[in-house]
Amino acid sequence: MTENSTVKLGVLISGTGSNLQAIIDAILRGALKAEIRLVISNRPDAQGLERARRHGIETAVIEHRKFASREDFDRAILAALRDRSVELVALAGFMRLLSPVMLDAFPTRIMNIHNSLLPSFPGIHGPKDAIEYGVKIAGCTVFFVTPGVDVGPVIVQAAVPVLADDDEQRLAARILQQEHRIFPHAISLFQQGRLEIAGRRVIIKGDSSTPNSSPLVNPPVD
Ligand code: GRF
């Protein structure tokens, strides 16, 4: 990718789709040079499908239940994405694990968003686990998907303080606000050709800040 190119995105969802909305909004306000070629949901009732349709974005429902294996399900997704010449896949609340069928077809071209500061609290209860553990700083992570659950190279993170009276819902809601900032930002870094992978590390080209003052802790997005 280069600075002026537009990245062709495929977005996979399973539910509310607020991160999908954040990506759409970033495109609309000119903060992200991307075109969403297709939104795929594995659930026909996902609210995110309606968000996509409202913006005239093509949608597809590919139900995992209808496939005999994870690989067959992934092959159907892959075919739909290839049909639309998708270059980068964004998992925005997509609740299925991808098999090598997808991972090998899009090496370091699949991003996921998770509501904890990985590698702490992987899995589906990030905010709850953070409160129960007693950490003072929670947050969210955008990472490249690799085999395994929430273990791929970290692209961007945002920190969110845990408040004394937080419950799971309140903390998750504040984390979600940060997700909406960093996911479009990470996609934009990809679009600008600024992400380089060195082992487990994702180097952001043109970011000369020191770790302690990095604006990427809570990055500006526009
Ligand atoms: C987010 O909290 C994300 O971190 C997790 O699932 C949630 C999806 O929310 N993976 P939405 O569907 O984007 O609103």
Side-chain angles (χ1 to χ4, degrees):
M1 303 290 329
T2 61
E3 212 173 311
N4 292 317
S5 57
T6 296
V7 60
K8 299 184 185 77
L9 273 184
V11 183
L12 274 51
I13 62 168
S14 298
T16 317
S18 69
N19 278 289
L20 164 66
Q21 188 69 56
I23 295 168
I24 294 171
D25 292 346
I27 294 171
L28 290 177
R29 69 172 185 273
L32 171 61
K33 282 188 191 146
E35 181 195 348
I36 303 178
R37 302 295 290 245
L38 183 64
V39 170
I40 299 176
S41 173
N42 64 311
R43 297 179 52 113
D45 59 348
Q47 197 192 322
L49 287 168
E50 191 40 47
R51 294 179 191 269
R53 289 184 196 120
R54 221 182 294 144
H55 291 277
I57 297 167
E58 189 186 0
T59 61
V61 174
I62 302 179
E63 290 184 74
H64 61 278
R65 299 182 296 118
K66 297 195 170 161
F67 294 85
S69 68
R70 203 177 281 283
E71 288 73 19
D72 285 349
F73 172 61
D74 280 12
R75 269 187 275 277
I77 292 177
L78 180 56
L81 296 173
R82 282 212 168 124
D83 259 10
R84 277 85 177 172
S85 307
V86 163
E87 297 164 308
L88 179 71
V89 181
L91 307 187
F94 181 66
M95 302 304 282
R96 305 295 302 169
L97 282 182
L98 293 174
S99 75
V101 169
M102 272 292 289
L103 299 180
D104 294 347
F106 288 100
T108 64
R109 295 286 181 276
I110 305 176
M111 287 185 186
N112 195 5
I113 179 91
H114 179 67
N115 53 9
S116 79
L117 287 178
L118 293 172
S120 293
F121 316 123
I124 61 171
H125 297 296
K128 179 167 177 278
D129 293 345
I131 289 173
E132 281 175 5
Y133 192 92
V135 295
K136 303 299 186 195
I137 305 287
C140 48
T141 304
V142 183
F143 61 98
F144 281 119
V145 179
T146 56
V149 179
D150 299 335
V151 290
V154 169
I155 304 166
V156 185
Q157 294 183 303
V160 176
V162 181
L163 306 180
D165 60 350
D166 263 343
D167 59 17
E168 183 184 354
Q169 275 77 26
R170 273 197 293 267
L171 179 59
R174 290 205 315 285
I175 292 174
L176 196 58
Q177 290 175 358
Q178 293 300 320
E179 294 180 37
H180 297 165
R181 289 160 47 82
I182 67 171
F183 207 1
H185 180 63
I187 295 168
S188 180
L189 291 172
F190 177 91
Q191 175 274 323
Q192 294 169 58
R194 290 177 58 193
L195 299 181
E196 197 176 280
I197 306 215
R200 275 208 54 85
R201 300 185 63 205
V202 178
I203 313 290
I204 299 174
K205 289 188 268 181
D207 174 31
S208 56
S209 52
T210 63
N212 287 338
S213 66
S214 174
L216 291 171
V217 172
N218 284 311
V221 290
D222 296 338

